[in-house]
CSV table of all heavy atoms in Angstrom, one decimal:
chain,number,residue,atom,x,y,z
A,405,ALA,N,67.4,111.6,81.3
A,405,ALA,CA,68.3,111.0,82.2
A,405,ALA,C,67.6,110.7,83.5
A,405,ALA,O,67.1,111.6,84.2
A,405,ALA,CB,69.5,111.9,82.5
A,406,PRO,N,67.4,109.4,83.9
A,406,PRO,CA,66.8,109.1,85.2
A,406,PRO,C,67.7,109.3,86.4
A,406,PRO,O,68.9,109.1,86.3
A,406,PRO,CB,66.5,107.6,85.0
A,406,PRO,CG,67.2,107.1,83.8
A,406,PRO,CD,67.8,108.2,83.1
A,407,ILE,N,67.1,109.8,87.4
A,407,ILE,CA,67.8,109.9,88.7
A,407,ILE,C,67.2,108.8,89.6
A,407,ILE,O,66.0,108.9,90.1
A,407,ILE,CB,67.6,111.3,89.4
A,407,ILE,CG1,68.1,112.4,88.4
A,407,ILE,CG2,68.3,111.3,90.7
A,407,ILE,CD1,67.8,113.8,88.9
A,408,LEU,N,67.9,107.7,89.8
A,408,LEU,CA,67.4,106.6,90.5
A,408,LEU,C,67.7,106.8,92.0
A,408,LEU,O,68.8,106.8,92.4
A,408,LEU,CB,68.1,105.3,90.0
A,408,LEU,CG,67.9,104.1,90.9
A,408,LEU,CD1,66.4,103.6,90.8
A,408,LEU,CD2,68.8,102.9,90.5
A,409,CYS,N,66.6,106.8,92.8
A,409,CYS,CA,66.7,107.0,94.2
A,409,CYS,C,66.7,105.6,94.9
A,409,CYS,O,65.9,104.7,94.6
A,409,CYS,CB,65.5,107.7,94.8
A,409,CYS,SG,65.4,109.4,94.1
A,410,VAL,N,67.7,105.5,95.8
A,410,VAL,CA,67.7,104.2,96.6
A,410,VAL,C,68.0,104.7,98.1
A,410,VAL,O,68.5,105.8,98.3
A,410,VAL,CB,68.9,103.3,96.2
A,410,VAL,CG1,68.7,102.8,94.8
A,410,VAL,CG2,70.3,104.0,96.3
A,411,GLY,N,67.6,103.9,99.0
A,411,GLY,CA,67.8,104.2,100.4
A,411,GLY,C,67.1,103.4,101.4
A,411,GLY,O,66.0,102.8,101.0
A,412,GLU,N,67.6,103.3,102.6
A,412,GLU,CA,67.0,102.4,103.6
A,412,GLU,C,66.2,103.2,104.6
A,412,GLU,O,66.4,104.4,104.8
A,412,GLU,CB,68.2,101.7,104.3
A,412,GLU,CG,68.9,102.4,105.4
A,412,GLU,CD,69.8,103.6,105.0
A,412,GLU,OE1,69.9,103.8,103.7
A,412,GLU,OE2,70.4,104.2,105.8
A,413,THR,N,65.3,102.5,105.3
A,413,THR,CA,64.5,103.1,106.4
A,413,THR,C,65.4,103.1,107.7
A,413,THR,O,66.4,102.3,107.7
A,413,THR,CB,63.2,102.4,106.6
A,413,THR,OG1,63.5,101.0,107.0
A,413,THR,CG2,62.3,102.4,105.4
A,414,LEU,N,64.9,103.7,108.7
A,414,LEU,CA,65.6,103.7,110.0
A,414,LEU,C,65.7,102.2,110.5
A,414,LEU,O,66.7,101.8,111.0
A,414,LEU,CB,64.9,104.6,111.0
A,414,LEU,CG,65.7,104.9,112.3
A,414,LEU,CD1,67.1,105.4,112.0
A,414,LEU,CD2,64.9,105.8,113.2
A,415,GLU,N,64.5,101.5,110.4
A,415,GLU,CA,64.5,100.2,110.9
A,415,GLU,C,65.5,99.3,110.2
A,415,GLU,O,66.2,98.5,110.8
A,415,GLU,CB,63.1,99.6,110.7
A,415,GLU,CG,61.9,100.2,111.5
A,415,GLU,CD,61.6,101.6,111.0
A,415,GLU,OE1,61.7,101.9,109.8
A,415,GLU,OE2,61.3,102.5,111.9
A,416,GLU,N,65.6,99.5,108.9
A,416,GLU,CA,66.5,98.7,108.1
A,416,GLU,C,68.0,99.0,108.5
A,416,GLU,O,68.8,98.1,108.6
A,416,GLU,CB,66.3,98.9,106.6
A,416,GLU,CG,65.0,98.3,106.1
A,416,GLU,CD,64.4,98.8,104.8
A,416,GLU,OE1,64.8,99.9,104.3
A,416,GLU,OE2,63.6,98.1,104.2
A,417,ARG,N,68.2,100.3,108.7
A,417,ARG,CA,69.6,100.7,109.1
A,417,ARG,C,69.9,100.1,110.5
A,417,ARG,O,71.0,99.5,110.7
A,417,ARG,CB,69.7,102.2,109.2
A,417,ARG,CG,71.1,102.7,109.8
A,417,ARG,CD,71.4,104.1,109.5
A,417,ARG,NE,71.9,104.3,108.1
A,417,ARG,CZ,73.2,104.4,107.8
A,417,ARG,NH1,74.1,104.3,108.7
A,417,ARG,NH2,73.6,104.5,106.6
A,418,GLU,N,68.9,100.2,111.4
A,418,GLU,CA,69.2,99.6,112.7
A,418,GLU,C,69.3,98.1,112.7
A,418,GLU,O,70.0,97.5,113.6
A,418,GLU,CB,68.1,100.1,113.7
A,418,GLU,CG,68.3,101.6,114.0
A,418,GLU,CD,67.2,102.2,114.9
A,418,GLU,OE1,66.1,101.5,115.0
A,418,GLU,OE2,67.3,103.3,115.3
A,419,ALA,N,68.7,97.5,111.8
A,419,ALA,CA,68.8,96.0,111.6
A,419,ALA,C,70.1,95.6,110.9
A,419,ALA,O,70.3,94.4,110.7
A,419,ALA,CB,67.6,95.5,110.9
A,420,GLY,N,70.8,96.6,110.5
A,420,GLY,CA,72.1,96.3,109.8
A,420,GLY,C,71.9,95.9,108.3
A,420,GLY,O,72.8,95.2,107.8
A,421,THR,N,70.8,96.2,107.7
A,421,THR,CA,70.5,95.7,106.4
A,421,THR,C,70.6,96.8,105.3
A,421,THR,O,70.2,96.6,104.2
A,421,THR,CB,69.1,95.1,106.3
A,421,THR,OG1,68.1,96.0,106.7
A,421,THR,CG2,69.0,93.9,107.2
A,422,THR,N,71.2,98.0,105.7
A,422,THR,CA,71.3,99.1,104.7
A,422,THR,C,71.8,98.6,103.3
A,422,THR,O,71.2,98.9,102.3
A,422,THR,CB,72.2,100.2,105.3
A,422,THR,OG1,71.6,100.7,106.5
A,422,THR,CG2,72.4,101.3,104.3
A,423,GLU,N,73.0,97.9,103.4
A,423,GLU,CA,73.6,97.6,102.1
A,423,GLU,C,72.7,96.6,101.3
A,423,GLU,O,72.6,96.7,100.1
A,423,GLU,CB,75.0,97.0,102.3
A,423,GLU,CG,75.9,98.1,102.8
A,423,GLU,CD,77.4,97.7,102.8
A,423,GLU,OE1,77.7,96.5,102.6
A,423,GLU,OE2,78.2,98.6,103.1
A,424,SER,N,72.1,95.6,102.0
A,424,SER,CA,71.3,94.7,101.2
A,424,SER,C,70.0,95.3,100.6
A,424,SER,O,69.6,95.0,99.5
A,424,SER,CB,71.0,93.4,102.0
A,424,SER,OG,70.3,93.8,103.2
A,425,VAL,N,69.5,96.3,101.4
A,425,VAL,CA,68.3,97.0,100.8
A,425,VAL,C,68.7,97.8,99.6
A,425,VAL,O,68.0,97.7,98.5
A,425,VAL,CB,67.8,98.0,101.9
A,425,VAL,CG1,66.8,99.0,101.3
A,425,VAL,CG2,67.1,97.2,103.1
A,426,ILE,N,69.8,98.5,99.6
A,426,ILE,CA,70.3,99.2,98.5
A,426,ILE,C,70.7,98.3,97.3
A,426,ILE,O,70.3,98.6,96.2
A,426,ILE,CB,71.4,100.2,98.9
A,426,ILE,CG1,70.8,101.3,99.7
A,426,ILE,CG2,72.2,100.7,97.8
A,426,ILE,CD1,71.6,102.1,100.6
A,427,ASP,N,71.3,97.2,97.6
A,427,ASP,CA,71.7,96.3,96.6
A,427,ASP,C,70.4,95.8,95.8
A,427,ASP,O,70.4,95.7,94.6
A,427,ASP,CB,72.4,95.0,97.2
A,427,ASP,CG,73.8,95.4,97.7
A,427,ASP,OD1,74.2,96.5,97.4
A,427,ASP,OD2,74.3,94.6,98.4
A,428,GLU,N,69.3,95.5,96.6
A,428,GLU,CA,68.1,95.0,95.9
A,428,GLU,C,67.6,96.1,95.0
A,428,GLU,O,67.2,95.8,93.8
A,428,GLU,CB,67.1,94.6,97.0
A,428,GLU,CG,65.8,94.0,96.5
A,428,GLU,CD,64.7,95.0,96.0
A,428,GLU,OE1,64.7,96.1,96.7
A,428,GLU,OE2,64.0,94.7,95.1
A,429,GLN,N,67.5,97.3,95.5
A,429,GLN,CA,67.0,98.5,94.7
A,429,GLN,C,67.8,98.7,93.4
A,429,GLN,O,67.3,99.0,92.3
A,429,GLN,CB,66.8,99.7,95.5
A,429,GLN,CG,65.8,99.5,96.7
A,429,GLN,CD,65.9,100.7,97.7
A,429,GLN,OE1,66.9,101.4,97.8
A,429,GLN,NE2,64.8,100.8,98.5
A,430,LEU,N,69.1,98.7,93.6
A,430,LEU,CA,70.1,99.0,92.5
A,430,LEU,C,70.2,97.8,91.5
A,430,LEU,O,70.1,98.0,90.3
A,430,LEU,CB,71.5,99.2,93.2
A,430,LEU,CG,72.6,99.7,92.3
A,430,LEU,CD1,72.2,101.0,91.6
A,430,LEU,CD2,73.9,99.9,93.1
Side-chain angles (χ1 to χ4, degrees):
I407 300 175
L408 169 67
C409 300
V410 297
E412 81 289 1
T413 63
L414 190 56
E415 295 68 37
E416 289 163 341
R417 172 163 283 263
E418 286 174 350
T421 57
T422 297
E423 291 188 356
S424 60
V425 167
I426 285 162
D427 290 350
E428 184 277 327
Q429 295 170 340
L430 187 58

